[in-house]
Amino acid sequence: MSLHALENIGEAFSVTREFLTPIDVRRWLKLALIVFFVGSGVSFPSAQFNTSTPSAYVPESGLPFNAPVNIVTLVVALIVAGLILGALLALIGAIMEFVLIESLRTGEVSIRRYWSQRWRQGLRLFGFRIAIGVPMFALVAGWFALTVVPILTGLDPTIPFAAFLIGIPVLFIIGLLYALVSGLTTVFVVPLMIQTDSGVLTAWRRLWGSIKTAWKQYLTYIVIAFLLTVAAGIIASSVVGIIAIVLLIPVLIVAGITHVTVSLSSTIGIVLLVGFALLFGLAMLVISTLAQVPVVMYLRYYALLVLGDIEESFDILSDHRPSTEEP
């Protein structure tokens, strides 16, 4: 039995190269915008995990201290704002998943057109991600509370220690299951939703039937895709790191000149340094996102090729495979 996950490693390179070349700046910038939300978007359920654990004095009674009202209001406002921002990013990221797959499927990158066509399915994907993410977040929050609250309230230290030990394998197993469902939804279910213009659960039922039949193929894909993701991530990070060092040199030169002329501690010096730091950060954000474009395109094309080979009726790239492909 041939394993399609192994066969399509090279073919995915060919399809990706054909899609990304010849290099067009406008096209790459559009793809970078898509990748920014798809690859860097914040998941709503985990967007604000560590935002509300302030270090504060806890009296022996175990009751929380009386913080000034304005501080409490500020903290609550920041949490609410963070949740809203995280939800907005997650929603945009869900819709952009369909924009990305449509771009790969048709070979044309059009954010506005595909957004208008697929935003309703993006809402469904967003709702599904919330539905599986909230229980995961609640489980992590519960484990955190069982571990930390007894320590803060002065209870027997064996209770949080036992909760910590028991929670590690439980969270690992459930977290692995969550990652599998979330990952398969992104790379396989979204294309099936586009193919049949259906919802998440309908597409998942189709995929699950195929998984039960060809589970070895999907398991091989999961392993190979993980290794490819790690390898591609290392390469992209190395390239970005080299570029960062190159760009950092002129920043250090400017800092040295500023120190000699106006002093770093002066107002002008601080303004110049902050300005250059912001420019450097923005430049690195753009560069790192552009570096992720070929990585994301390759991994998504790889998944689509494997899906189409496992189940011919799932193939949405039949017209965009390399011309060198043998019959």
Side-chain angles (χ1 to χ4, degrees):
M1 180 184 67
S2 60
L3 297 175
H4 302 302
L6 295 175
E7 295 174 347
N8 283 292
I9 294 176
E11 185 175 351
F13 276 111
S14 301
V15 181
T16 304
R17 182 176 64 249
E18 182 179 337
F19 178 74
L20 293 177
T21 56
I23 295 178
D24 183 283
V25 175
R26 184 180 180 185
R27 181 186 180 93
W28 270 68
L29 289 177
K30 288 182 180 179
L31 291 172
L33 180 61
I34 296 172
V35 168
F36 174 77
F37 288 104
V38 169
S40 306
V42 181
S43 176
F44 171 71
S46 59
Q48 289 300 313
F49 182 65
N50 289 330
T51 55
S52 57
T53 55
S55 176
Y57 168 75
V58 180
E60 295 181 358
S61 60
L63 297 176
F65 75 108
N66 295 321
V69 176
N70 58 340
I71 296 181
V72 175
T73 303
L74 178 61
V75 171
V76 172
L78 289 176
I79 293 176
V80 172
L83 290 174
I84 294 175
L85 178 60
L88 180 61
L89 290 174
L91 175 59
I92 296 175
I95 300 175
M96 283 295 189
E97 294 285 359
F98 293 88
V99 175
L100 173 60
I101 299 302
E102 283 284 18
S103 299
L104 298 179
R105 183 176 71 92
T106 62
E108 300 179 6
V109 183
S110 177
I111 296 177
R112 184 183 304 177
R113 186 202 316 166
Y114 300 143
W115 182 287
S116 63
Q117 291 176 355
R118 300 295 178 180
W119 67 269
R120 293 178 181 82
Q121 289 180 303
L123 286 176
R124 296 177 183 177
L125 177 62
F126 172 71
F128 179 81
R129 286 176 170 176
I130 295 298
I132 65 173
V134 168
M136 184 65 196
F137 173 77
L139 181 64
V140 173
W143 174 72
F144 182 79
L146 288 175
T147 304
V148 175
V149 171
I151 297 177
L152 296 178
T153 55
L155 296 179
D156 187 350
T158 59
I159 297 177
F161 183 71
F164 176 78
L165 292 180
I166 295 174
I168 291 177
V170 173
L171 287 178
F172 176 79
I173 295 174
I174 298 179
L176 182 61
L177 180 61
Y178 167 79
L180 285 175
V181 173
S182 179
L184 293 178
T185 300
T186 298
V187 298
F188 290 151
V189 172
V190 169
L192 295 181
M193 292 174 66
I194 291 176
Q195 185 185 53
T196 58
D197 197 22
S198 60
V200 181
L201 297 182
T202 300
W204 247 113
R205 280 193 287 268
R206 295 183 65 203
L207 178 64
W208 183 245
S210 177
I211 290 176
K212 290 190 294 184
T213 302
W215 63 270
K216 293 181 181 179
Q217 297 283 0
Y218 287 99
L219 180 60
T220 305
Y221 163 78
I222 291 171
V223 175
I224 300 299
F226 173 76
L227 296 177
L228 289 175
T229 302
V230 173
I234 293 175
I235 295 174
S237 298
S238 300
V239 172
V240 173
I242 294 173
I243 296 176
I245 294 174
V246 173
L247 292 180
L248 191 60
I249 294 176
V251 174
L252 294 177
I253 294 175
V254 171
I257 296 174
T258 303
H259 178 67
V260 172
T261 55
V262 296
S263 176
L264 294 177
S265 59
S266 65
T267 303
I268 298 177
I270 294 175
V271 170
L272 288 176
L273 287 180
V274 170
F276 276 103
L278 291 176
L279 288 176
F280 177 77
L282 180 61
M284 290 311 304
L285 176 62
V286 173
I287 291 171
S288 61
T289 305
L290 287 172
Q292 287 296 320
V293 168
V295 173
V296 174
M297 300 305 113
Y298 171 77
L299 293 175
R300 293 306 182 88
Y301 262 132
Y302 173 66
L304 294 176
L305 289 169
V306 172
L307 181 65
D309 283 347
I310 294 176
E311 197 77 38
E312 187 177 354
S313 61
F314 292 170
D315 190 5
I316 66 173
L317 297 176
S318 56
D319 298 331
H320 297 278
R321 290 176 179 261
S323 57
T324 56
E325 183 182 1
E326 297 180 2

